[in-house]
Amino acid sequence: MSTDETRATAPGDAQDDIMDRFYGVIPAGGTGTRLWPLSRAATPKFLHDLTGSGSTLLRSTYDRLEPLTGKRILLVTGAAHRDAVCSQLPEVDEADLLLESEQKDSAAAIGLAAAILYRRNPDIIMGSFAADHVISPDSAFRDAVREAVYTAAAGKIVTIGIHPTYPSTGFGYIRSNNKLGIEGAPSARAVVEFVEKPTEGVARQYLSSGEYHWNAGMFVAPASLMLQHLSVSEPELYAGLSEIADAWDTPRRNEVMDRLWPTLPKIAIDYAVAEPAAAVGDVAMVPGTFKWDDVGDFAALGRLNSAAEISDLTVMGKGARVFSEAASGVVFSDTKRVIALIGIEDLVVVDTKDALLVTTTAHAQEVKQAVERLKASGDHDVL
């Protein structure tokens, strides 16, 4: 083979080797309280088909990753959801199913995945992608993930930022600046800072500056670097996760997990790892050109459902019986009850066998408060 031919094929071969080190992690947690009564503790939103695609959010997330990872996917979910998750994803091996005895925040879930993967192979590059996001097209998502993996291989914790299309006050933001010039990742940029959910005025400033992207909570990093930062910023959490990981692939797994997991502190991965790492220059961002939404409430659900393209009223649910006249908004029904809507705009109606929600898209974020009040009053049978 000539020198020129060697130069032509070597970069591709190197990139193939890097992708062989990539392992997907899917945190499937939370209850999606803003989507109550459709999403509940026993049947959280990731187990539902919320877009009419014929596939649940969890199944779609797995299928989106599989062309990049094959079966190298580890799933973190609650023990109560084991049967439902295994039914939807029978491909996941028992060793790659991390069951939480009680819900912790994202740092514990992602940190445990990192600790287990590191012990299996210290060179693993992991990518964490929540089970309840809606993304399209999948091809653009995979292009961004590939760039993120190459950037991670260069020694960075990488977040995939979403190009903001409106001044959202519901998402956190990432500020970035210079491109890093990493081979295989032409779009990768240095992250300056993560910022919290802004006011509308500040969000408009972010949008016009061109320096900010939405923080979708997608992180790709060498497992070793993720653990390094976790050990510095959250030593107690790191110690507990390390002990669990040491026992994971042994007969002691359940005993150690049951003993230590309830004692671990709750903290988001953004605070435990991403923000401290950004402060010392260890974080990069790859901008995503795909459409993304975390389906945080029923207003988002109405925007995402294809029915909205042909009608002012989005109707979901098999066999839903809805009559509307001069009405707009979102309706979900899993009953056979007739729902008649006349002269009402931007409403949300969710009709289930044991609970009925009626609100407006403008107040959709406040559904969480109703769930909190029901919990406080002891109405756990509908939660």
Side-chain angles (χ1 to χ4, degrees):
M1 181 181 292
S2 69
T3 303
D4 288 343
E5 286 174 322
T6 302
R7 288 173 179 167
T9 57
D13 293 342
Q15 290 176 2
D16 288 344
D17 291 343
I18 290 172
M19 291 306 300
D20 288 342
R21 293 160 52 194
F22 180 53
Y23 213 108
V25 175
I26 303 177
T31 56
T33 52
R34 291 184 180 88
L35 289 173
W36 179 88
L38 176 59
S39 179
R40 307 193 188 192
T43 55
K45 65 177 179 176
F46 61 82
L47 294 175
H48 294 272
D49 173 11
L50 297 183
T51 62
S53 67
S55 181
T56 67
L57 298 185
L58 174 63
R59 181 76 245 182
S60 295
T61 302
Y62 187 96
D63 291 344
R64 193 179 299 122
L65 280 172
E66 190 176 25
L68 296 172
T69 62
K71 290 194 67 178
R72 299 189 306 275
I73 295 178
L74 190 150
L75 195 126
V76 189
T77 193
H81 304 135
R82 184 189 187 285
D83 290 346
V85 166
C86 290
S87 175
Q88 292 192 12
L89 300 178
E91 308 96 316
V92 176
D93 291 335
E94 186 71 25
D96 291 334
L97 187 63
L98 278 60
L99 299 177
E100 301 174 308
S101 57
E102 62 182 72
Q103 188 174 325
K104 296 288 181 178
D105 216 324
S106 55
I110 297 171
L112 178 58
I116 291 171
L117 292 175
Y118 177 77
R119 280 154 179 77
R120 292 177 180 176
N121 180 354
D123 293 326
I124 277 179
I125 295 172
M126 61 180 290
S128 174
F129 307 94
D132 56 2
H133 292 179
V134 174
I135 290 171
S136 69
D138 288 354
S139 58
F141 165 81
R142 287 192 283 266
D143 288 344
V145 173
R146 286 188 189 93
E147 285 202 43
V149 173
Y150 301 152
T151 306
K156 295 289 186 181
I157 294 173
V158 190
T159 181
I160 298 178
I162 308 301
H163 177 72
T165 54
Y166 64 94
S168 172
T169 59
F171 302 139
Y173 286 73
I174 307 159
R175 183 161 74 94
S176 63
N177 53 16
N178 302 328
K179 290 188 176 181
L180 296 173
I182 294 173
E183 184 177 6
S187 302
R189 304 175 184 178
V191 166
V192 178
E193 63 176 342
F194 292 85
V195 293
E196 299 294 333
K197 298 174 183 178
T199 63
E200 185 173 350
V202 172
R204 291 187 184 280
Q205 294 174 18
Y206 290 170
L207 203 64
S208 61
S209 74
E211 296 181 353
Y212 292 82
H213 286 71
W214 287 335
N215 180 6
M218 302 180 194
F219 294 102
V220 178
S224 58
L225 184 58
M226 187 77 75
L227 293 171
Q228 175 185 322
H229 280 284
L230 190 63
S231 69
V232 173
S233 63
E234 293 291 328
E236 180 184 352
L237 178 59
Y238 172 81
L241 294 176
S242 295
E243 189 172 345
I244 295 172
D246 286 340
W248 190 259
D249 289 323
T250 77
R252 299 178 57 241
R253 175 199 299 183
N254 292 338
E255 178 266 315
V256 175
M257 181 72 167
D258 292 344
R259 173 168 52 85
L260 291 178
W261 188 259
T263 71
L264 299 179
K266 290 185 177 183
I267 185 171
I269 194 70
D270 302 71
Y271 302 137
V273 173
E275 291 183 6
V280 296
D282 275 355
V283 180
M285 185 207 69
V286 169
T289 59
F290 47 86
K291 294 179 181 178
W292 168 86
D293 203 296
D294 68 349
V295 204
D297 57 35
F298 285 105
L301 198 56
R303 291 194 305 268
L304 292 168
N305 195 281
S306 59
E309 299 174 2
I310 58 174
S311 170
D312 291 332
L313 190 69
T314 298
V315 178
M316 293 171 285
K318 292 183 179 180
R321 302 169 69 190
V322 179
F323 168 81
S324 67
E325 182 68 38
S328 63
V330 183
V331 178
F332 174 88
S333 175
D334 64 2
T335 75
K336 297 301 180 182
R337 189 176 8 249
V338 173
I339 300 173
L341 308 169
I342 303 170
I344 308 175
E345 296 182 352
D346 299 327
L347 84 165
V348 173
V349 177
V350 183
D351 187 24
T352 68
K353 293 177 181 178
D354 60 354
L356 172 67
L357 168 71
V358 181
T359 185
T360 65
T361 54
H363 291 85
Q365 286 276 322
E366 297 170 28
V367 173
K368 182 177 182 178
Q369 298 173 16
V371 174
E372 291 171 351
R373 291 193 178 187
L374 287 167
K375 186 182 298 183
S377 64
D379 293 304
H380 299 287
D381 60 309
V382 294
L383 301 178

